[in-house]
Each structure stands twice: as C-alpha cells, then as structure tokens.
Amino acid sequence: MGFLDKEFTQDNIVVTNLEALLNWARLSSIWQTTFGIACCAIEMMATSASHYDFDRFGVIPRPSPRQADVIIISGTVTFKMATRIKRIYEQMPDPKFVISMGSCSNCGGPYWEHGYHVLKGVDRVIPVDVYVPGCPPRPEALLEGLLKLQEKIRNESMIKSA
Amino acid sequence: MKSFEEILELLKSNFSGENDISSSKEGTEDIINVSPSMIKEVSKFLAQTGDLNFDSLILLSAVDDENGEKIKQEDESIDITGGTLSIYYHIESVKLVHKLILKVSVERENPVTISVSSVWGCANWHEREAFDMIGIIFNEHPDLKRILLPYDWEGGYPLRKDYRNPEFYNGMKVPY
C-alpha cells in the first residue's frame, strides 16, 4: 500500500497484477454487519469508536447483511440466537467471512458445562475464519483478528486452488 | 403497617381449611405456607383488604426442593421421584410499608397450582418463567408458554436438579 502515502506530482503508472489489486481492494473495505450479542459487542463498539477507529481499516457497519462482507459474532450464542445467526449468515452475499469474537462464541466460554441454553461454539452452525480469544477481547485483540482476516484475503487466489 | 403475627392471625381467621395456612421459619425469614388450591383466594384477600393492601408482587420464584427419592443412574446423574417443588411469592405494600413471603409447595409428579396474574399483573411473566425453568403449571394463566427458551424446546425444565442436557436441539449438538 506504500505508494499511496506518496504524493503524485505528475501522472504515473503503477505496475501490479490483477489478483493483488483485487485482493487489496477487497481487504481494504471489509464491511461488517451491524450485529452484536453480548458484552463482547460493547468492546466491538469501542473498537468502532474514535479511539481505536475500525474505520481506518475500511470496516464500516452496514445496516443490512446483504451489503456486508463480514459478520463479527460478538458474544454468547444461545440456541435461540443460533437459529437467527444462521439466517443472517445465509443472507450475506459471497464472498463472506466470519470473525468469532470471545470465548463464548469460540467454544461456549463460561457456559461450557452448565449452560443448558448455550451453543458450545458458533462454528457448530456457521464456518468461522478467525477466532479471537478473550473474555471479552480488548479492542487491540479484535484489531489483530481483523488483520489476520486481511492476511487471509490477501493470500486468496482466483486461479490457484487454496 | 402490620406485623407478621398480625397478618398470620388475620389469614388464619379468614381461611379456616385444615392445611390452608401455616407458618414456618426458613433462615431468618418468617414464611406463610399456603396450599396450592387456596393461593389465588389468599392473594386476593391480601391485595384487597384495606389494612393489608399488598399492592405489589416484588418477585415470584420457583425452587426445586430436591427432597424426593434420588436414584443414581449409570452415568452418575440422578433421577428424582416424589418430593416437592416450591413457589415463593415476595409481596409488599408500598402504601403501608410492610412485606410478606408466601410459599406454595406442589408435588413434583403433579406440579399444578393456580395463577395469581389476575391479582398482580406482573405475575404473568414470572409464572411463565417458573413454568419454563421448573415446569410448574399455573391454571387460569392467560398465556402459559415458554418465555426464555425457544418455543419448540423439548429438552425439559433446565433448573430442575435432575435435569439432563438433550443430545441435540434442532440439529445442533448440545453437550460440550
């Protein structure tokens, strides 16, 4: 991304390959579904706010899953909510990504044994790309999760099989 | 403001049935035990008698007393037969500043009592929660269905002491 920092004084040519350009464009505008479940959602909102500024990575909350690229599962996934999460996920257009934020959505968290109402990990209903550990994870941890997701997108290829 | 003894006297003189009203002490609290068939009448009396005027139900909660016969299963879990489930009613008169605790015990095998939601409106959702979690059936309740768990939940009543997780709910695995 370095060349964007420098000012263009005159017309110029940038040489790149199409795949790198497309991947760079995609990873720089990962729009997220406006969706929060529990206390992790508070950390996620803090990450979006001015101090941590999710927006500088191109993460903009979208009001509809149909316009979103990523869904951050930020909190305890109950069975009642799991049904809804699956539905929201299915409404998102491909390519779509999932960040599982916090212990609850990773593996059930503190409810792993006696939580009769908690799904023990959101990966039992939808595929997860990045797991962010913590209870709840600090905004820095969520940012690192996002960077991991960007890394994943950067290495994707339309031609080569994954 | 009336003391516990005065209220107990009033209730005993108005409800003369054999086991309708009795008192007990649990921990530091004085409690009035009411039979399941009388709870609605007793509640109405407490709420509408002028010098008692219990106008507010603070909370209604159900408890598994765990006093039945416990049978150990092969997988270390227990099954309970017999014994009772209890419902506690914490009521208050905001106007006269006195409080009272009522207790209703129902049989575990036949947990049926009468709703007080016609006396205190807020009992509606509290009773739905007691039904959802412990499985107490409140007759005359206007809308007795699950409140927290999904409507199609068939795994039983999770706050009973002998509750066991179902294997699956709608294709989702339940145990860790």
Side-chain angles (χ1 to χ4, degrees), chain B residues 83-98:
Chain B
T84 55
L85 306 170
S86 292
I87 311 144
Y88 288 85
Y89 302 77
H90 290 245
I91 56 177
E92 181 187 21
S93 171
V94 178
K95 206 170 172 188
L96 304 175
V97 207
H98 52 211

Side-chain angles (χ1 to χ4, degrees), chain A residues 79-80 82-83 107-108 112-120 124-125, chain B residues 133 147-151 153 158-159 163 165 169 172-176:
Chain A
F79 290 119
K80 222 173 181 177
T83 319
C107 63
W112 71 277
E113 189 174 13
H114 298 296
Y116 54 85
H117 60 306
V118 177
L119 185 70
K120 313 298 187 292
R124 290 187 181 186
V125 286
Chain B
M133 294 292 147
I147 188 169
L148 295 169
L149 288 165
Y151 294 138
W153 182 261
L159 292 194
Y163 174 76
N165 272 327
Y169 163 70
M172 291 177 270
K173 193 170 163 243
V174 177
Y176 180 72

Side-chain angles (χ1 to χ4, degrees), chain A residues 33-98:
Chain A
T33 316
T34 309
F35 177 74
I37 310 175
C39 28
C40 280
I42 307 294
E43 285 311 282
M44 187 183 72
M45 286 180 248
T47 318
S48 294
S50 53
H51 194 88
Y52 290 96
D53 197 12
F54 232 176
D55 207 355
R56 71 195 146 127
F57 298 100
V59 179
I60 306 170
R62 299 302 299 178
S64 160
R66 290 168 203 277
Q67 300 169 345
D69 303 297
V70 66
I71 181 168
I72 300 175
I73 310 296
S74 52
T76 315
V77 181
T78 58
F79 290 119
K80 222 173 181 177
M81 185 52 93
T83 319
R84 276 79 178 169
I85 287 175
K86 192 153 192 293
R87 195 156 156 186
I88 293 172
Y89 177 77
E90 282 164 357
Q91 286 180 20
M92 288 165 61
D94 277 318
K96 51 193 169 184
F97 303 96
V98 178

Side-chain angles (χ1 to χ4, degrees), chain A residues 116, chain B residues 128-135 148-149 157-160:
Chain A
Y116 54 85
Chain B
R128 277 178 64 187
E129 190 185 351
F131 166 70
D132 198 357
M133 294 292 147
I134 301 276
L148 295 169
L149 288 165
Y157 304 108
L159 292 194
R160 286 201 185 180

